[in-house]
Amino acid sequence: MRHFALCTLLLLPVLCFGQKDKKAEKRNPDKVAREALLDKAESALSLGSLDTAVAAYSKALWMWPETELRKKLADVHLLRGDTTSYCAEVPTFGEEYRAEKAFYAMHCVREDSVLFAATGLDPVAYPNIISAVRTWRRAKDQTNYKLYSVDGKAHLYLNTTPTDTTYGVLDDMPAFPEGEPALFKFLGSNIRYPAAALDHGFSGVVYVTFIVDKYGSIQNAEVLRGVHYGLDAESLRVVRAMPRWKPGTYMDKPVRTQYNLPVRFSIR
C-alpha cells in the first residue's frame, strides 16, 4: 500500500466468493505478459530509456501489485528526477526499506504542530479550534489537518489540495442508502469474480477510496491498494455504480467526505 494518511472509516470486509475451475490449470497468460513487460523494462533501463522502463514497470505493477516491483518503479522515477512520482510509489514499511523510509521522511512529507491561526483556515468555519497538526504530502500536493478543540481533543480531520477540501472522520459520516447491510447486499449482488483472477487463484482485499460529495454522488474512486488488475477493475466498476449515498455532514451541513471501502475476494 502506498503511504496515505487520510483519516477514514473502514467498513468490515465484504465477502465475494468465486468458484475456481479446477480444469483451469493451464499456463497463466497474465504471468507470461507480465514477465514480458518486466523484460522490456529491464532492457529499456539498461539502454537508458527511462520513460519506456516506467511505462512497462507501471503496466506490470497494474497487472499484479508487488512491493519489490513498486520499489523498482520508484527508483526509475528518481533517476528521471521525478520526486513527486517517487514519493507516490516508494514502499516505506518493512526493515528492508530503511533507506527508502529515510528519503521519504526527508523529501516526501512534512509535519508540524501549529496554532490554528497559522493554518490559514477560516475560523468561522471551524469554531472552537485552537491548534492543529498538519502534514503535507508531496505525492498529491495534499495537506492533512488534524484539528484540536479547546478541550485538547482531536475534533476534525481535513484533507486539502490547492483546489479541493474533503473531510475525514466526522460524527455524521456518509452512509449507503438503508445502511451497512444494504451495502453488503448491493456489493454481493453486483460483483462478479473476474475469470482471469479466478482461474489462476488470485484473491484478497482490494481497498478502494472515493469521495462522497455533498449531494451523495460517488466521485474520484481509485484503488488504494490492489491485488490483481481484474479484481481491482471489478471493485472500481461496482463502487462507481453505487446509488447516491447519504452525505456526511459537518455543523449540520453536507460536505465532501473521503471514504475507504475494503472489498474481499475469496475462492472456495
Side-chain angles (χ1 to χ4, degrees):
M1 170 180 170
R2 77 183 186 195
H3 198 86
F4 198 79
L6 290 175
C7 299
T8 52
L9 183 68
L10 293 182
L11 289 175
L12 292 174
V14 178
L15 298 180
C16 301
F17 296 102
Q19 295 287 350
K20 183 178 180 181
D21 182 357
K22 294 183 179 181
K23 296 181 180 179
E25 299 299 334
K26 56 190 176 183
R27 182 162 168 73
N28 188 339
D30 286 351
K31 184 175 181 180
V32 173
R34 190 170 184 274
E35 288 173 351
L37 285 168
L38 294 178
D39 288 343
K40 181 179 180 179
E42 295 293 337
S43 176
L45 190 57
S46 68
L47 297 172
S49 301
L50 301 184
D51 289 348
T52 300
V54 164
Y57 276 142
S58 296
K59 188 169 183 180
L61 193 60
W62 167 76
M63 293 183 71
W64 184 355
E66 183 181 72
T67 303
E68 188 57 30
L69 179 55
R70 191 172 295 282
K71 178 184 180 300
K72 289 183 179 180
L73 175 58
D75 288 342
V76 180
H77 282 308
L78 200 58
L79 286 173
R80 298 166 72 229
D82 185 352
T83 308
T84 298
S85 295
Y86 176 88
C87 292
E89 298 292 353
V90 63
T92 57
F93 53 90
E95 289 298 313
E96 66 271 38
Y97 298 116
R98 290 182 179 178
E100 289 76 16
K101 186 182 296 185
F103 186 98
Y104 188 94
M106 183 174 294
H107 299 284
C108 302
V109 65
R110 184 171 63 244
E111 182 174 288
D112 60 1
S113 298
V114 296
L115 294 175
F116 179 76
T119 65
L121 297 172
D122 183 1
V124 175
Y126 309 106
N128 302 318
I129 301 298
I130 62 170
S131 63
V133 173
R134 59 184 179 186
T135 306
W136 173 77
R137 302 185 186 283
R138 182 183 296 275
K140 288 192 173 183
D141 193 15
Q142 181 180 75
T143 301
N144 309 123
Y145 292 94
K146 188 175 183 180
L147 303 181
Y148 289 85
S149 56
V150 291
D151 59 7
K153 294 181 180 180
H155 177 72
L156 191 64
Y157 299 85
L158 296 177
N159 313 303
T160 68
T161 68
T163 59
D164 192 22
T165 296
T166 60
Y167 288 72
V169 175
L170 296 168
D171 290 336
D172 187 12
M173 286 294 290
F176 189 83
E178 299 181 15
E180 189 174 290
L183 172 59
F184 295 157
K185 183 178 179 180
F186 176 87
L187 294 174
S189 298
N190 287 276
I191 286 180
R192 300 291 179 264
Y193 213 115
L198 181 61
D199 289 347
H200 302 289
F202 284 96
S203 62
V205 181
V206 178
Y207 290 88
V208 179
T209 186
F210 54 90
I211 291 172
V212 180
D213 74 8
K214 57 185 174 181
Y215 304 105
S217 295
I218 304 301
Q219 298 181 345
N220 301 351
E222 60 182 67
V223 173
L224 194 60
R225 186 172 71 195
V227 175
H228 173 273
Y229 72 92
L231 303 183
D232 299 351
E234 179 64 6
S235 299
L236 286 175
R237 182 190 69 79
V238 174
V239 164
R240 288 167 177 160
M242 289 191 296
R244 289 179 185 269
W245 285 41
K246 172 183 172 292
T249 62
Y250 173 64
M251 295 180 63
D252 297 323
K253 294 182 179 179
V255 293
R256 289 169 58 81
T257 310
Q258 192 82 32
Y259 200 96
N260 286 2
L261 176 67
V263 182
R264 183 181 298 275
F265 291 84
S266 299
I267 298 172
R268 61 183 180 187

